[in-house]
Amino acid sequence: MFMLRSFKYRLFPNPTQAAGLTDMLGSFCDLYNACLQQRIEAYQRRGKSLGYIDQANELKAVRLADERLAGYSYSAEQQVVRRLDKAFKAFFGRVRRGKGGFPRFRAKSMFDSAGFRVGDGLTICRNRKITVVGIPGEIKVRWHRDLPAGAKISTAVVMRSCGKWYIRFSVETPDAYGPHPFREAVGVDVGLTSLVATSDGCRVPTPKWIGKASKKQRRLQRALARCKRGSKSRLRAKMRLARHAARTASQRRDFAHKVSRDLVNRYSHIAFEDLNITGLASGMLAKSVLNAAWGQLISFTDYKAAYAGGLVAKVNPRGTSQECDCCGRVTPKTLSERIHDCPGCGTVEDRDIHAAKVIKHRAFPWSKGLGASLEASSQRVAA
Ligand SMILES: [Zn+2]
């Protein structure tokens, strides 16, 4: 079993190299648009649909005629042609489902990435810098963490985002860990007061930056709305908003990585509510930021658990905070009631932690009432 994982690093090109990378993306953008134009014309004039093979076959001749393209990596340019092909395939898929949305011509300012095969057009040097065909010299990389040992690097994407450059490697790693040694099951309730509450009674309070970030986002959005269309100040406001969004996204990612790592290290079976059904936090100031944080936490936990041989389950969220985990009695509560106080069996517990227990037992009924892990693991086979 192999898994595809991605590793992203910051690039530090010097000014000449940064200009070279910008030119390269510009040329690739032109190539993308030219291929789109060709497809449209072929269809309009001859009623013929061009495919990837048709256009890729022509690429060699195009490179001979265009010295700009000739200077860059051939395989990277094939990726550009493939990218258009993917856009068309997605379009045809949408058409079948009755929704339009024809592939569009792209603006250079929005064409932000180029794909490479590592060792062909993009190389990692001995000194841990990278070279890109058509870009002078070696580009510095900040390896803030190592690529996994023995990993096979398949592809790399060079990206521009908010004026910074990054590289993302796709790496095939052997799924070396095998099945997770049985440890323990846990239910996780995501909420507003505690961002995360577990059935074991742990809580992660909602980080302060979530409220701050959403307030600032609203302020910047209002500022953008006030600017005149096409004006310089609008462009500046747009950049400010984009930078803020990028910063929030990286804080959120960092947070999701930490919490998910912790969960996967401690538990083999992890249950969440299925957020696609929930529609939580409506009308809240921090709604979008929170929803994104939860979604990311669940997806990170999912892939980390898969890598470690664990399991993530998503349960129907209906009534998880109303139901009693001990006797099953349903007691309606308002959002402001923070305590679960069951009139049926007399259980009194924090609302979020009790909900986490309900989630745990919905996903893993075998874990109910079992203390010893040995007992649980035999139950697990039965379940
Ligand atoms: Zn009860």
Side-chain angles (χ1 to χ4, degrees):
M1 263 287 281
F2 278 87
M3 282 194 74
L4 210 56
R5 296 166 71 196
S6 59
F7 292 80
K8 188 173 161 186
Y9 303 94
R10 176 96 185 265
L11 288 178
F12 292 92
N14 64 34
T16 321
Q17 290 169 336
L21 288 170
T22 304
D23 286 344
M24 181 184 76
L25 288 183
S27 302
F28 288 1
C29 181
D30 287 338
L31 175 65
Y32 183 94
N33 287 336
C35 288
L36 175 56
Q37 181 71 29
Q38 192 194 24
R39 283 196 185 217
I40 293 169
E41 281 176 8
Y43 189 77
Q44 285 173 345
R45 288 194 193 148
R46 292 173 279 150
K48 192 177 171 236
S49 297
L50 292 179
Y52 170 72
I53 302 288
D54 302 308
Q55 294 198 305
N57 284 341
E58 257 181 76
L59 190 55
K60 256 202 177 118
V62 172
R63 277 167 59 88
L64 284 178
D66 185 332
E67 69 179 41
R68 261 191 333 152
L69 286 178
Y72 299 120
S73 158
Y74 182 41
S75 71
E77 287 161 8
Q78 285 176 318
Q79 292 292 323
V80 175
V81 180
R82 195 176 290 281
R83 188 152 142 193
L84 178 70
D85 192 55
K86 270 193 190 152
F88 266 90
K89 290 221 167 88
F91 164 65
F92 291 132
R94 286 197 298 273
V95 168
R96 270 195 293 280
R97 291 195 301 274
K99 287 183 239 168
F102 193 78
R104 285 197 274 182
F105 288 101
R106 306 281 289 270
K108 279 191 182 147
S109 58
M110 306 282 277
F111 202 87
D112 284 326
S113 65
F116 294 87
R117 273 206 302 269
V118 174
D120 176 6
L122 186 147
T123 317
I124 305 174
C125 310
R126 281 245 173 88
N127 61 11
R128 313 248 290 161
K129 292 180 179 179
I130 61 155
T131 55
V132 178
V133 171
I135 308 298
E138 295 167 337
I139 303 172
K140 207 174 127 193
V141 185
R142 182 162 68 204
W143 299 95
H144 65 279
R145 61 170 171 162
D146 282 324
L147 287 167
K152 188 177 159 248
I153 305 171
S154 51
T155 58
V157 175
V158 172
M159 296 179 289
R160 173 179 58 194
S161 169
C162 297
K164 291 173 186 157
W165 292 91
Y166 299 90
I167 187 162
R168 191 181 63 225
F169 295 105
S170 285
V171 173
E172 275 180 20
T173 50
D175 195 358
Y177 290 89
H180 201 293
F182 182 77
R183 271 177 282 193
E184 219 172 330
V186 72
V188 183
D189 179 63
V190 296
L192 306 179
T193 36
S194 315
L195 192 74
V196 166
T198 73
S199 52
D200 291 357
C202 299
R203 312 163 149 284
V204 178
T206 304
K208 285 221 171 66
W209 58 261
I210 285 193
K212 279 186 195 155
S214 53
K215 258 183 215 149
K216 188 167 178 188
Q217 184 182 332
R218 286 234 308 230
R219 203 177 69 230
L220 292 173
Q221 270 164 347
R222 278 198 300 267
L224 177 66
R226 277 196 302 269
C227 293
K228 230 190 196 158
R229 277 193 159 271
S231 66
K232 263 215 174 110
S233 58
R234 187 181 164 85
L235 194 69
R236 265 202 304 276
K238 219 170 171 175
M239 281 303 287
R240 234 174 263 140
L241 184 61
R243 264 201 304 274
H244 172 70
R247 200 157 41 231
T248 310
S250 87
Q251 276 174 313
R252 191 177 63 218
R253 202 165 36 241
D254 179 57
F255 173 80
H257 271 308
K258 280 179 186 149
V259 177
S260 61
R261 171 47 59 206
D262 190 46
L263 285 172
V264 170
N265 284 351
R266 283 197 288 161
Y267 306 100
S268 59
H269 290 66
I270 305 164
F272 289 100
E273 290 175 301
D274 192 342
L275 290 182
N276 293 328
I277 312 177
T278 331
L280 264 160
S282 52
M284 263 225 21
L285 178 69
K287 179 193 166 196
S288 61
V289 184
L290 268 173
N291 278 344
W294 289 329
Q296 201 163 38
L297 172 66
I298 294 173
S299 81
F300 283 3
T301 310
D302 210 349
Y303 91 79
K304 285 193 174 93
Y307 187 66
L311 182 72
V312 168
K314 287 166 209 157
V315 303
N316 189 335
R318 200 154 165 214
T320 45
S321 58
Q322 322 285 334
E323 194 179 304
C324 177
D325 186 51
C326 310
C327 67
R329 181 169 170 151
V330 175
T331 323
K333 296 186 195 71
T334 60
L335 256 182
S336 59
E337 284 177 60
R338 304 309 314 160
I339 303 289
H340 171 81
D341 184 356
C342 181
C345 65
T347 304
V348 178
E349 195 165 28
D350 176 87
R351 170 207 180 106
D352 296 335
I353 288 169
H354 199 78
K357 285 186 179 168
V358 175
I359 292 165
K360 172 180 164 185
H361 296 138
R362 269 190 201 180
F364 311 116
W366 49 261
S367 67
K368 192 160 187 173
L370 295 172
S373 58
L374 191 71
E375 232 181 312
S377 70
S378 62
Q379 285 281 320
R380 179 168 142 242
V381 178

